[in-house]
Amino acid sequence: MLSMLGLDATAEAVYRAMLARPQDGTAALRQRLSLSDESVRQALDTLSELALLRPAHGRQGELRAVSPDVGMEILIARQQAELAAQQLRVEASRAAAAELIAEFAESRPTGGAETNVERLVGMDQIRDRLALLTRQVRHEVMTFAPGGAHSPEDIAAAKPLNLQLRERGVQLRTVYLDSIRNSPATVEYVNWLTRQGGQVRTTPTLPTRMIITDRTSAVIPVRTDDTGVGAVVLTGEGTLTALCALFESVWGSAGPLGEEAPKRTDGLSAQEATAIRLLADGLTDEAVAKRLGVSHRTARRLATELMERLGARSRFEAGVRAVQQGWLPHTG
C-alpha cells in the first residue's frame, strides 16, 4: 500500500506492527509477523533510513515508530524532493540535447552521405522536404510542436496530410505546449486529430521543434528563434537513437490533452513551476513567453503573480524564496 512512497511490503508490515504494539521488541515482531531475523533487521534499517523510527524516550537502545501523520509527511516530502531532482535531470537532458542539436546543425552547413546531414535553406525547401518525407513515411511520425496555438491556415493545411497518414496506418504522436489549452481553435483541431487515431500530449516546455519519421529521419530547425531560416535533416543511426530517446523521455513525462493538468503538492501548476524555474534562471519575460508558448503579457502576468505569492520584490529574491518554500530544489 505504501510502496509508492518507498516502503516495501515487509518494512510496511513492521512499521504497522510497531505502531499497533509499541512495547514489542524484535523477538515479538519476528513471532507476530513470521519473519526471519534478517528480514526484520532489513526492515528496521529501511525504516530508520526513511526517518520512520526514532530512539524511544527513556529507553536506551530501543526504537519507536513515529506517528503516521508525521511519517507520511516525511515520506511525501522525500518523494517530492526526489521528483524535483528527477525533473531537473530531465530538463537538463532536454537542454543539453537541444544545444547539441543546434551546434551540430550550425557547424555542418553542407550535407552528404558521409555526414548524414542534409541542409535546407528557407521555408520553401523545408516544406518540400517535409512533403517528401510525409509521402515516404510508413510507420510513425513523432513531433515536438513548441509553437503554441495554431493559426487557421496551419490547421487547414495540416488536416489533409494527417488524414492521408492515418489512412495509410501511420501512427502519429505529437507533443504540444500546455498553453495550447488556451486556444479553442487549436484544441478543436487536436481533438479532431485524436478522433482520427492520433495521439497528443502536452508539456510546459519543449527543447526544440522536431519531426521524426519512421525513426530514421529527423527534421530540426537551425535556429529555434526563427524556424523558417533553415533546417537540417538528420539520418545518422546514432543521432536518431538519441533523438528518439529524447522524444520518448518528453512523451513519458507529458500529459494527455483531455486531462486537466494536475497541481503539484506545493499548489503550483506545471506551467507555474516551469515559469518560476525559468525566471530563477534569469530569463526575461519575452524568453519565458517563447519557452511556454504564451503571449508576452501572459508571461509578465505569471511572473507578477508568482512574485506576489512569494512576497518577493525582485526576481533574485523570488528565486531565493522559491527554494526556501520548496518550489525549487536547493542546489547548494
Side-chain angles (χ1 to χ4, degrees):
M1 184 175 177
L2 299 180
S3 59
M4 293 295 292
L5 296 177
L7 236 58
D8 59 41
T10 302
E12 180 181 348
V14 171
Y15 178 62
R16 289 176 178 272
M18 294 180 71
L19 287 171
R21 297 176 62 89
Q23 72 278 8
D24 283 356
T26 304
L29 282 172
R30 289 199 307 268
Q31 185 176 359
R32 287 184 60 205
L33 300 175
S34 300
L35 295 172
S36 66
D37 289 347
E38 181 64 22
S39 295
V40 172
R41 281 196 296 271
Q42 289 180 355
L44 293 175
D45 288 344
T46 298
L47 294 171
S48 297
E49 290 172 3
L50 295 175
L52 296 180
L53 297 183
R54 294 188 179 164
H57 181 68
R59 291 182 291 174
Q60 189 173 3
E62 294 186 20
L63 298 172
R64 67 170 181 86
V66 301
S67 62
D69 54 340
V70 174
M72 294 309 98
E73 185 65 29
I74 291 172
L75 293 180
I76 291 171
R78 179 186 294 268
Q79 186 180 56
Q80 182 178 344
E82 291 174 352
L83 288 173
Q86 175 63 18
Q87 182 65 26
L88 275 184
R89 289 193 290 270
V90 171
E91 292 294 340
S93 297
R94 294 180 188 178
E99 290 174 7
L100 178 62
I101 291 164
E103 290 174 7
F104 181 68
E106 292 175 357
S107 66
R108 308 304 291 265
T110 59
E114 294 182 358
T115 61
N116 297 315
V117 177
E118 176 186 352
R119 177 81 175 209
L120 307 174
V121 180
M123 185 56 70
D124 288 340
Q125 285 192 14
I126 295 173
R127 287 173 175 166
D128 289 345
R129 193 68 176 91
L130 286 174
L132 178 60
L133 287 171
T134 300
R135 291 194 297 270
Q136 294 175 335
V137 66
R138 293 291 178 266
H139 307 291
E140 182 180 28
V141 178
M142 302 183 293
T143 304
F144 283 162
H150 283 324
S151 68
E153 295 76 17
D154 288 341
I155 292 173
K159 278 188 172 183
L161 293 176
N162 291 328
L163 275 177
Q164 292 175 20
L165 291 171
R166 289 302 302 147
E167 287 171 356
R168 284 159 39 199
V170 175
Q171 181 183 21
L172 304 178
R173 287 196 291 163
T174 306
V175 184
Y176 288 96
L177 295 178
D178 287 342
S179 60
I180 70 161
R181 299 168 187 264
N182 301 320
S183 168
T186 306
V187 170
E188 182 181 354
Y189 162 70
V190 169
N191 287 333
W192 171 87
L193 181 59
T194 302
R195 290 194 297 272
Q196 309 310 311
Q199 299 179 59
V200 173
R201 294 185 181 181
T202 70
T203 190
T205 61
L206 285 167
T208 185
R209 182 176 297 278
M210 178 172 71
I211 300 174
I212 301 176
T213 58
D214 286 339
R215 297 178 178 263
T216 58
S217 299
V219 181
I220 299 170
V222 174
R223 289 175 50 184
T224 56
D225 59 338
D226 189 353
T227 57
V229 170
V232 288
V233 182
L234 307 177
T235 55
E237 183 177 352
T239 302
L240 264 296
T241 298
L243 293 178
C244 288
L246 174 65
F247 180 89
E248 295 295 352
S249 172
V250 175
W251 179 264
S253 62
L257 179 66
E259 296 180 3
E260 184 177 354
K263 291 279 187 179
R264 308 192 326 170
T265 55
D266 53 21
L268 296 175
S269 67
Q271 186 182 67
E272 290 171 335
T274 303
I276 194 66
R277 179 178 56 78
L278 296 175
L279 291 170
D281 287 343
L283 272 68
T284 63
D285 289 343
E286 184 178 359
V288 171
K290 185 176 291 290
R291 290 289 299 273
L292 296 179
V294 298
S295 67
H296 185 269
R297 177 181 298 178
T298 298
R300 187 166 58 247
R301 176 181 55 77
L302 267 174
T304 300
E305 290 177 352
L306 289 168
M307 289 177 65
E308 288 177 352
R309 289 168 64 180
L310 288 165
R313 289 176 293 181
S314 69
R315 297 195 174 188
F316 176 78
E317 184 181 3
V320 173
R321 288 180 178 269
V323 172
Q324 293 171 342
Q325 292 198 19
W327 291 8
L328 293 173
H330 196 290
T331 57

